[in-house]
Amino acid sequence: EDQVTQSPEALRLQEGESSSLNCSYTVSGLRGLFWYRQDPGKGPEFLFTLYSAGEEKEKERLKATLTKKESFLHITAPKPEDSATYLCAVLFNYGQNFVFGPGTRLSVLP
Amino acid sequence: GAGVSQSPSNKVTEKGKDVELRCDPISGHTALYWYRQRLGQGLEFLIYFQGNSAPDKSGLPSDRFSAERTGESVSTLTIQRTQQEDSAVYLCASSLAGAGADTQYFGPGTRLTVL
């Protein structure tokens, strides 16, 4: 069974302390990998889509990268407003279902 | 509306009662997804609609769960004889194209509590 895992489960950073979140998936043919941000009590908000190994996308303090087995979400000089749960989701070559990871809860302290 | 809307935002019900959750997708979006998110967990796929094709119901956890969609508009998720383990946030998402790596836009969710 194809699975998506994320690490760490939770991460606490000081404001300005850069770090990376990981999303790993078992190989069964990747069609796309998606990153979302979810604030408490809200639905996920789309951040990035990555389609092939080596691809990178950037948005403000966030940069997403993709390899054949995993994706990283790099957060540079985070601010408290970056605190949220970050979810990744994978769309595999078969079917049309997105498989979501459990998420990483990020807290950025001022 | 500008985004996906869901109603009600919160629903408290008693065990054994039926509930109906509603999703209004973004206008023009042909694909619609329902997910369940238990407290502190990731999203669990329930059902997927694409245009007038037969829905993909492979994620529905039991026959107490059903969903309908009228054309490319509103969808309702019905849970019959609710159980306490049905307590979760139910999220709806829509996208322009289903069969492909397209972006899903999520609604705010309906928080269901079964007492």
Side-chain angles (χ1 to χ4, degrees):
Chain A
E1 178 183 335
D2 291 302
Q3 288 189 334
V4 179
T5 59
Q6 291 187 246
S7 62
E9 182 176 325
L11 180 63
R12 297 182 71 171
L13 300 173
Q14 290 296 133
E15 184 170 2
E17 180 187 0
S18 301
S19 189
S20 295
L21 313 182
N22 176 268
C23 172
S24 297
Y25 54 93
T26 56
V27 177
S28 189
L30 177 77
R31 209 153 77 191
L33 186 142
F34 301 76
W35 281 100
Y36 289 86
R37 169 194 171 123
Q38 186 174 27
D39 292 297
K42 296 188 177 181
E45 174 189 344
F46 171 75
L47 293 174
F48 303 109
T49 306
L50 301 166
Y51 293 102
S52 56
E55 188 175 359
E56 297 184 353
K57 295 272 181 75
E58 282 191 72
K59 179 181 179 181
E60 297 180 350
R61 295 178 292 283
L62 300 176
K63 183 170 81 172
T65 61
L66 181 65
T67 70
K68 287 186 177 180
K69 293 288 184 76
E70 59 191 349
S71 175
F72 291 93
L73 184 65
H74 307 277
I75 303 177
T76 303
K79 298 181 178 181
E81 54 261 42
D82 294 323
S83 298
T85 295
Y86 290 85
L87 300 168
C88 75
V90 173
L91 184 63
F92 293 101
N93 278 335
Y94 62 90
Q96 295 150 339
N97 303 339
F98 292 80
V99 180
F100 279 80
T104 293
R105 292 191 313 278
L106 174 66
S107 300
V108 182
L109 307 176
Chain B
V4 178
S5 61
Q6 293 186 245
S7 61
S9 55
N10 281 285
K11 176 71 176 179
V12 180
T13 190
E14 293 180 346
K15 178 181 174 181
K17 296 284 181 67
D18 298 352
V19 296
E20 190 172 279
L21 313 180
R22 176 186 169 108
C23 171
D24 282 273
I26 294 173
S27 178
H29 280 196
T30 59
L32 187 146
Y33 301 78
W34 281 99
Y35 295 90
R36 177 169 69 180
Q37 187 174 31
R38 291 196 165 111
L39 186 63
Q41 298 187 18
L43 275 67
E44 176 187 3
F45 166 78
L46 296 177
I47 188 169
Y48 158 73
F49 295 91
Q50 169 56 38
N52 294 319
S53 302
D56 179 348
K57 304 179 181 180
S58 60
L60 294 179
S62 77
D63 59 7
R64 296 186 296 105
F65 288 72
S66 64
E68 293 183 349
R69 187 181 186 194
T70 306
E72 294 182 355
S73 61
V74 172
S75 176
T76 55
L77 176 69
T78 301
I79 308 174
Q80 296 178 310
R81 305 181 303 281
T82 52
Q83 304 294 313
Q84 288 183 333
E85 61 262 28
D86 298 334
S87 296
V89 174
Y90 289 83
L91 290 159
C92 172
S94 70
S95 67
L96 272 172
D102 205 2
T103 302
Q104 296 179 86
Y105 296 89
F106 283 84
T110 293
R111 181 176 299 279
L112 174 65
T113 303
V114 182
L115 301 177

